[in-house]
């Protein structure tokens, strides 16, 4: 909607090591106080890399606190009419792997166009992350998948 900012923070009032939060830009140009996205999204672990879909109702994020395939996996959740979030759904293979999935980009049609993954913590400290890019013309991309 151009007025809501989703972010990761380890601020007080969170559920875990890092939580997803949102703030809203009011008509007077001031930001609201941060609002935690709640226990359906946030765990005792780390939730990070929020990506809100252009539909403004689907949130993609990375988590090590929800059950997954690797250290961190991608999940999505849909916003309910009352502003709460559904239980997150793991995106599964081939989007998620045994690596650390960190960032994801999804088009308005629901195509994954990019995924950033780190193979292990040593790689994270010594080399840039492995980037898997997908485009609508690349039918052989390992992560190319329509999400709905």
């Amino acid at each position: 909607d151009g007025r809501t900012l989703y972010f990761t923070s380890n601020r007080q009032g969170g559920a875990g090591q890092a939580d997803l939060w949102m703030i809203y830009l009011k008509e007077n140009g001031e930001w609201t106080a941060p609002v935690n996205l709640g226990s359906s999204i946030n765990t005792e672990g780390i939730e990070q890399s929020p990506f809100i879909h252009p539909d403004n109702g689907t949130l993609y994020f990375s988590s090590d606190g929800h059950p997954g395939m690797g250290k961190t996996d991608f999940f999505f959740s849909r916003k309910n009419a009352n502003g709460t979030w559904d239980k997150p759904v793991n995106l599964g293979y081939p989007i998620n792997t045994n690596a650390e999935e960190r960032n994801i980009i999804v088009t308005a049609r629901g195509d994954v166009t990019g995924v950033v993954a780190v193979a292990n913590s040593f790689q994270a400290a010594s080399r840039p992350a492995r980037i898997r890019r997908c485009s609508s013309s690349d039918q052989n991309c390992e992560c190319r998948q329509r999400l709905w």
Side-chain angles (χ1 to χ4, degrees), residues 1-145:
D1 66 7
R3 302 184 71 83
T4 307
L5 176 69
Y6 294 87
F7 64 96
T8 302
S9 177
N10 63 352
R11 64 181 51 240
Q12 288 185 335
Q17 298 174 52
D19 282 7
L20 298 184
W21 299 76
M22 62 170 275
I23 55 176
Y24 184 77
L25 184 62
K26 299 185 285 188
E27 291 297 324
N28 66 5
E30 295 180 10
W31 291 100
T32 62
V35 175
N36 187 287
L37 295 190
S39 60
S40 64
I41 299 293
N42 294 309
T43 67
E44 293 180 1
I46 298 172
E47 279 67 48
Q48 61 188 349
S49 306
F51 176 87
I52 191 72
H53 188 268
D55 69 8
N56 201 36
T58 307
L59 175 71
Y60 296 89
F61 64 97
S62 178
S63 174
D64 71 355
H66 292 282
M69 299 175 62
K71 183 167 172 51
T72 58
D73 277 6
F74 291 124
F75 296 83
F76 78 90
S77 178
R78 301 218 194 258
K79 189 188 309 184
N80 296 307
N82 65 3
T84 61
W85 295 93
D86 285 339
K87 179 181 176 182
V89 175
N90 187 300
L91 292 182
Y93 181 83
I95 303 297
N96 288 318
T97 66
N98 63 354
E100 295 179 40
E101 276 64 44
R102 297 272 180 93
N103 298 83
I104 189 167
I105 301 168
V106 181
T107 68
R109 285 183 13 172
D111 295 319
V112 174
T113 61
V115 174
V116 176
V118 178
N120 58 48
S121 57
F122 173 77
Q123 181 179 354
S126 64
R127 295 190 302 238
R130 175 174 54 109
I131 299 175
R132 298 179 294 182
R133 290 191 178 100
C134 302
S135 70
S136 58
S137 62
D138 183 2
Q139 298 299 317
N140 297 318
C141 180
E142 67 182 32
C143 66
R144 180 169 163 54
Q145 177 175 324

